[in-house]
Amino acid sequence: MLKNYLKVAWRSLLKNKGFTLINIVGLSFGVAACILISIYIIHESSYDKHVANSKNIYRMTNAIIQDGNVRGGIHFSAIMASTVLNDFAEVENAGRIMDNGLFYGAGSNEIRLEGSPTQYHEEGFAYADQSIMDIMDIQMVYGNAPTSLSEPGTIVISNSISEKYFGESNPVGSSIYLNGNNDQPFRINGVMEDFASNSHLDYDFMLTLSGVEFGEGEQTRWTQNNYFTYITLKSGTNILQVQKKISNHIIKDYLMPAFEAGGFAMAGNLEDRLSIGLQHLTDINLYSNDIDFEANSRNDIKIIWIFGIVALFILVIASINFVNLSTAKSANRAKEVGVRKVVGAPKRYLVGQFLTESVLLSFISFVIGLAIAWLMMPLFSSISGKALSLPFASPVFIPLLLVSSLAVGLLAGLYPSFYLSRFRPVAVLKGKLSTGSKSNPLRSGLVVFQFTVSIILIIGTLIVNQQMDFILNSKIGFEKEEVIQLYGTNIMGDRVDTFKDNLKEINGVTSVSISDYLPLEGTKRNGNSFVNEGRDNVDETVPGQAWVVDEDYLETLGITLVEGRNFSIDKISDDESTVINQTMAKKLNLDNPIGKKISRYGRLYEVIGVVEDFNFNSLKQEVQPLCFFRGVSPSIISLKIDTGDMSSLLKEVENKWNEFSPNMAFRYAFMNESFTKMYANVTRIRTIFLSFSILAILVACLGLFALSAFMVEQRKKEISIRMVLGASFKNIYSLLSINFLRLVGISIVMAVPVGWYVMSRWLEDFAYKTGLDWTTFITAGLIALVIAILTISYQSISAALIQPLKSLRTE
């Protein structure tokens, strides 16, 4: 029986080539989209699940209420790890990681191998406790994992770095030097396996924290927070209970006394405003959107949900085409059903036959869809920024596809099968059945659903695009155009000021500044507390940034001074002065800030200038309070340029570089390009949204095109009679088009509120955002309407141009 089903199904598909082709093309692309997005979702959801004992590993977090807003954080004091390990029996292990570039060795460095004069730039440095090697289950290629970071002055490097610099040799015992410091070697004590692509950690160099102290008393000071703290809980621990226990104990017994001793006014109500939490290791990648300085480097569970729904909808749209076309051409299959029933075919046989056709079509589509996904995978990996591949090696991948193709085939064919099999043979054989040409509420509803989803995707694409344009082109308070950054200039040591003077002499260079602190992601950031003079133990401190800059910084970056003056090279007193932004003045309630003094940990600075607020973090965050201090922060030099001959200018800059730093490669970047990279995740979302929106529209229009073609074919006699009786081209076009356009209009009405809700929720993640203008929704509706008109116009115009006498003669 099954063999007969398959033979008849195959013949039916070949007989109706147009129907078959349209369904296979639409469903294949729907399957390909589902496979690609599913692999992306699985990858993003698999972060850190490969770590042994991951179910019991947590990262400590904190949340504090400031100005009515809750700010999440992950930085703790150096002593936090040892305290929770000693004070709580539920904690089995604890360790710290510190990758803050403010401290020597962390972040990025210029490295030199022992016995070589050449300097190489490398990123991905972090300090870590020996216990981190155990907690994170870091595997070793060379060296002994339990002791790899136990001794002072040691470092563990990744396998890729080892192969890059040492080839196949074992580098354990060799030394490397950082940033030209020949007095402090770091002995390589191990080579670790590279962190997996689905690990939230991504370091190539792990420096030991053994014997390290970043300033006097830093390792025991509760008010200096620079470390990520990871803990392993004992199996069976009640996470909610231990989290509450840790939070209450740490705040009450350690933080409040430390804040009181430091004179912080907020110490009295710290219990009401601060909480400490535990974030499961496997939640870090998708559930860190509310954590400061973390959100930009992580994905967002909301995006995962949106992509998953989009993939499902594309597959559903493609399946709807099958249902619509099957019911639309029901009149063509009616005589077949009638004859089968007359010769004794039971209903279950007919249902089985039609379901077999549906499953066969689904299976073919899945095979082609898998091939499309394989071909598109490199492009999709590039767009998503992830190293993705089809998991052919997985024992469940192919079986899952087979089950999915069976499920899609059965679900898509279920209604058409029962619908076609219930035709009455007497009515069919008498020619009284023409169901396909009549208005079908289900078919109309499915068309509405298709275009509703498509319009929502168009709305999403337009708003994501508007937000990106807003971010990249809005006034951000500084000039990112025509500015070049030179990296690794700290290797020049005391000669960096001379190098700066030499750069000023190059034709086309208008201004030069030395500072590691830039309004770009990846440059230095810190956390400080400020208060007005004489109010140290009275007022609550204002958290803010303290940036070390030179006197040319504001000019080079085009930052506007709205009050007072800039730093002057001729005024020694400016070493005790500060230039603040408008937000800092507002937070400190300084109506006339010039000449006022503010305290930074007890040291007073006179405010000599106020700059206009500028966005130095992602536009997802509001502008924070900021103070500039004059000093040296020499890793990056910025050049403001004004020239039409960029290649000649860069060549001159490189020549100067080689004079001052002949043993290190010349590295530079344009500031506007670096700024754009800050929003790489949003750019990827825009591209993916656009790609799948186009795909959804194409699949929906493919079905609409075929549906209109069947309608025209089945109403050809009616159209011919109307034309003989004097119907005009306009009448015929309206007759065939108006119903479809009415359905698209209903889709627009349904899509607008859904699109508004979804995109308003997405925009909530941005402190600065474009508005939801009604013109966007009107544009989306018009795009869908125009596409629908173009789709059905071909068939409608063809019908209006037929020769009625010829058509009637063939009836």
Side-chain angles (χ1 to χ4, degrees):
M1 183 66 72
L2 180 60
K3 182 179 179 180
N4 179 259
Y5 281 166
L6 290 171
K7 182 185 295 185
V8 174
W10 180 251
R11 289 173 179 173
S12 177
L13 293 180
L14 290 179
K15 180 181 177 182
N16 301 282
K17 293 184 178 63
F19 163 83
T20 302
L21 180 64
I22 287 172
N23 273 303
I24 287 178
V25 170
L27 196 54
S28 296
F29 278 100
V31 168
C34 258
I35 291 174
L36 291 173
I37 293 182
S38 296
I39 289 174
Y40 175 79
I41 292 174
I42 290 170
H43 179 272
E44 294 301 289
S45 303
S46 68
Y47 267 63
D48 298 306
K49 290 182 179 178
H50 60 277
V51 176
N53 199 30
S54 61
K55 64 180 181 179
N56 292 320
I57 301 174
Y58 294 84
R59 181 177 68 172
M60 296 187 69
T61 63
N62 57 68
I64 188 166
I65 301 173
Q66 292 179 338
D67 298 326
N69 298 315
V70 179
R71 295 183 60 183
I74 50 176
H75 292 93
F76 289 92
S77 60
I79 199 173
M80 178 64 80
S82 59
T83 300
V84 294
L85 183 61
N86 293 330
D87 290 8
F88 300 96
E90 298 90 342
V91 178
E92 193 173 75
N93 205 351
R96 305 164 298 167
I97 294 177
M98 200 283 291
D99 61 5
N100 192 332
L102 289 171
F103 300 98
Y104 180 85
S108 61
N109 294 283
E110 316 307 322
I111 71 169
R112 181 178 67 82
L113 305 182
E114 186 177 17
S116 171
T118 306
Q119 301 282 346
Y120 303 94
H121 174 77
E122 290 292 347
E123 300 179 357
F125 286 78
Y127 285 90
D129 285 321
Q130 172 60 50
S131 55
I132 287 294
M133 306 295 288
D134 306 322
I135 293 172
M136 300 306 299
D137 186 35
I138 297 174
Q139 301 297 308
M140 305 298 288
V141 179
Y142 300 111
N144 186 17
T147 59
S148 56
L149 291 176
S150 60
E151 300 176 19
T154 55
I155 186 172
V156 172
I157 63 176
S158 69
N159 190 44
S160 59
I161 291 295
S162 175
E163 291 178 350
K164 178 179 179 180
Y165 291 109
F166 300 97
E168 298 299 321
S169 302
N170 182 350
V172 173
S174 302
S175 294
I176 63 174
Y177 298 84
L178 306 182
N179 306 314
N181 185 350
N182 297 322
D183 299 324
Q184 187 180 355
F186 286 90
R187 187 180 78 255
I188 299 174
N189 209 28
V191 175
M192 61 184 175
E193 292 282 3
D194 290 356
F195 284 104
S197 62
N198 58 346
S199 170
H200 82 284
L201 299 181
D202 187 21
Y203 302 120
D204 283 316
F205 302 85
M206 303 280 275
L207 300 155
T208 182
L209 275 169
S210 177
V212 173
E213 187 172 47
F214 300 104
E216 185 178 354
E218 179 264 345
Q219 290 292 302
T220 58
R221 188 180 300 121
W222 280 98
T223 55
Q224 188 171 347
N225 304 304
N226 297 301
Y227 297 83
F228 308 137
T229 302
Y230 294 84
I231 65 173
T232 302
L233 296 179
K234 294 179 180 178
S235 297
T237 300
N238 186 310
I239 179 62
L240 295 178
Q241 289 182 2
V242 76
Q243 178 177 269
K244 183 177 181 181
K245 187 176 175 182
I246 290 174
S247 183
N248 291 339
H249 176 62
I250 294 295
I251 293 172
K252 183 179 179 181
D253 295 340
Y254 293 104
L255 294 180
M256 288 181 65
F259 275 50
E260 289 172 0
F264 291 94
M266 69 181 299
N269 63 351
L270 195 62
E271 282 184 296
D272 299 325
R273 297 178 53 186
L274 177 67
S275 63
I276 296 173
L278 298 177
Q279 183 182 33
H280 197 274
L281 180 67
T282 57
D283 289 342
I284 292 175
N285 183 55
L286 295 180
Y287 296 90
S288 298
N289 203 45
D290 57 347
I291 296 176
D292 286 354
F293 306 113
E294 174 85 351
N296 289 340
S297 59
R298 304 285 172 225
N299 212 322
D300 185 356
I301 188 62
K302 286 188 288 188
I303 299 300
I304 296 300
W305 275 106
I306 290 173
F307 283 172
I309 292 171
V310 167
L312 180 62
F313 278 169
I314 291 175
L315 188 60
V316 170
I317 288 172
S319 300
I320 285 173
N321 284 346
F322 179 84
V323 175
N324 275 344
L325 295 182
S326 296
T327 56
K329 71 186 201 65
S330 58
N332 297 350
R333 303 292 299 270
K335 289 184 179 180
E336 175 191 344
V337 172
V339 171
R340 287 177 181 273
K341 283 193 172 184
V342 167
V343 298
K347 183 176 180 180
R348 68 176 183 275
Y349 175 89
L350 295 172
V351 171
Q353 179 61 59
F354 292 129
L355 281 178
T356 301
E357 289 183 23
S358 176
V359 171
L360 179 60
L361 188 145
S362 175
F363 176 76
I364 295 171
S365 299
F366 265 76
V367 172
I368 297 175
L370 180 61
I372 294 172
W374 179 75
L375 292 172
M376 296 298 293
M377 184 59 75
L379 177 61
F380 185 72
S381 295
S382 175
I383 292 173
S384 65
K386 307 291 181 179
L388 304 175
S389 61
L390 292 174
F392 287 113
S394 172
V396 300
F397 181 60
I398 298 300
L400 183 62
L401 286 180
L402 292 174
V403 171
S404 299
S405 68
L406 178 63
V408 170
L410 291 175
L411 290 174
L414 201 60
Y415 175 77
S417 298
F418 282 96
Y419 178 76
L420 294 172
S421 63
R422 73 184 182 188
F423 290 163
R424 295 173 59 195
V426 173
V428 169
L429 296 177
K430 285 183 177 181
K432 295 181 179 181
L433 188 69
S434 57
T435 310
S437 62
K438 295 180 180 178
S439 176
N440 186 303
L442 175 65
R443 190 160 61 241
S444 298
L446 293 177
V447 171
V448 169
F449 177 81
Q450 283 183 311
F451 272 87
T452 298
V453 172
S454 300
I455 295 166
I456 291 172
L457 290 175
I458 294 173
I459 290 171
T461 301
L462 292 176
I463 292 176
V464 170
N465 194 61
Q466 288 175 2
Q467 179 64 13
M468 278 303 301
D469 289 340
F470 175 81
I471 289 171
L472 298 177
N473 301 316
S474 62
K475 188 177 183 295
I476 52 178
F478 66 92
E479 294 291 339
K480 62 181 184 294
E481 308 296 332
E482 306 298 325
V483 178
I484 300 175
Q485 273 81 48
L486 307 182
Y487 295 96
T489 51
N490 56 313
I491 205 71
M492 299 177 186
D494 296 337
R495 298 184 301 155
V496 69
D497 287 319
T498 307
F499 179 61
K500 172 184 174 181
D501 293 335
N502 275 253
L503 292 174
K504 287 182 177 180
E505 297 173 359
I506 297 175
N507 186 35
V509 176
T510 60
S511 181
V512 182
S513 173
I514 304 173
S515 179
D516 300 352
Y517 295 89
L518 294 170
L520 296 172
E521 192 173 84
T523 59
K524 284 187 177 179
R525 295 291 184 270
N526 53 39
N528 288 258
S529 297
F530 302 89
V531 69
N532 288 318
E533 181 183 14
R535 308 291 295 179
D536 288 85
N537 299 317
V538 180
D539 294 340
E540 188 173 311
T541 57
V542 173
Q545 293 284 308
W547 288 13
V548 178
V549 302
D550 62 11
E551 60 279 355
D552 296 313
Y553 186 89
L554 301 185
E555 178 186 356
T556 303
L557 297 188
I559 297 172
T560 304
L561 193 70
V562 293
E563 289 186 63
R565 64 176 178 85
N566 189 14
F567 297 113
S568 172
I569 195 171
D570 300 321
K571 292 182 180 291
I572 299 176
S573 61
D574 279 1
D575 290 338
E576 301 296 323
S577 302
T578 183
V579 175
I580 65 176
N581 68 352
Q582 291 171 316
T583 297
M584 178 63 81
K586 180 180 178 181
K587 294 293 184 182
L588 289 173
N589 297 314
L590 298 175
D591 295 328
N592 299 295
I594 305 303
K596 301 288 179 60
K597 291 187 176 182
I598 61 176
S599 172
R600 176 191 177 202
Y601 300 124
R603 184 175 178 180
L604 293 176
Y605 296 87
E606 181 183 351
V607 178
I608 61 171
V610 179
V611 298
E612 186 177 66
D613 279 342
F614 63 95
N615 293 96
F616 51 86
N617 289 322
S618 165
L619 289 184
K620 288 187 175 183
Q621 303 173 27
E622 294 182 348
V623 174
Q624 296 180 29
L626 168 67
C627 286
F628 291 119
F629 299 96
R630 189 170 72 174
V632 178
S633 181
S635 294
I636 302 174
I637 287 183
S638 301
L639 287 71
K640 180 70 175 177
I641 57 176
D642 182 15
T643 180
D645 191 358
M646 185 65 68
S647 59
S648 296
L649 183 140
L650 288 173
K651 187 62 179 177
E652 288 190 61
V653 173
E654 185 175 7
N655 291 337
K656 293 289 185 184
W657 176 276
N658 291 333
E659 290 179 21
F660 283 81
S661 186
N663 294 319
M664 191 169 73
F666 174 59
R667 292 188 305 112
Y668 71 92
F670 291 97
M671 191 172 195
N672 58 343
E673 294 176 357
S674 300
F675 181 82
T676 303
K677 289 179 182 178
M678 290 173 58
Y679 300 96
N681 282 340
V682 182
T683 302
R684 292 188 187 107
I685 291 170
R686 174 172 65 173
T687 305
I688 293 173
F689 244 112
L690 177 61
S691 302
F692 288 110
S693 295
I694 292 173
L695 179 59
I697 281 287
L698 288 177
V699 173
C701 288
L702 196 63
L704 189 60
F705 179 84
L707 199 58
S708 61
F710 277 115
M711 294 299 101
V712 169
E713 181 183 347
Q714 293 179 1
R715 301 184 71 174
K716 189 174 291 185
K717 182 177 181 179
E718 174 191 347
I719 293 167
S720 299
I721 293 173
R722 287 177 179 273
M723 293 180 72
V724 168
L725 296 176
S728 65
F729 173 89
K730 180 181 178 181
N731 296 141
I732 300 300
Y733 183 85
S734 299
L735 173 70
L736 296 172
S737 305
I738 195 67
N739 187 52
F740 287 119
L741 296 182
R742 186 183 297 115
L743 297 179
V744 175
I746 295 172
S747 300
I748 294 171
V749 172
M750 295 179 64
V752 166
V754 178
W756 179 88
Y757 174 77
V758 171
M759 296 316 296
S760 62
R761 289 292 304 273
W762 179 73
L763 287 172
E764 287 176 358
D765 292 337
F766 295 87
Y768 303 93
K769 55 200 171 193
T770 182
L772 290 177
D773 194 338
W774 279 106
T775 57
T776 303
F777 299 96
I778 294 173
T779 301
L782 288 175
I783 291 173
L785 200 59
V786 169
I787 291 173
I789 290 173
L790 293 175
T791 301
I792 62 179
S793 287
Y794 175 79
Q795 298 296 342
S796 298
I797 293 172
S798 298
L801 294 177
I802 65 173
Q803 298 178 19
L805 293 179
K806 181 179 179 181
S807 176
L808 291 173
R809 189 164 53 243
T810 60
E811 285 290 332

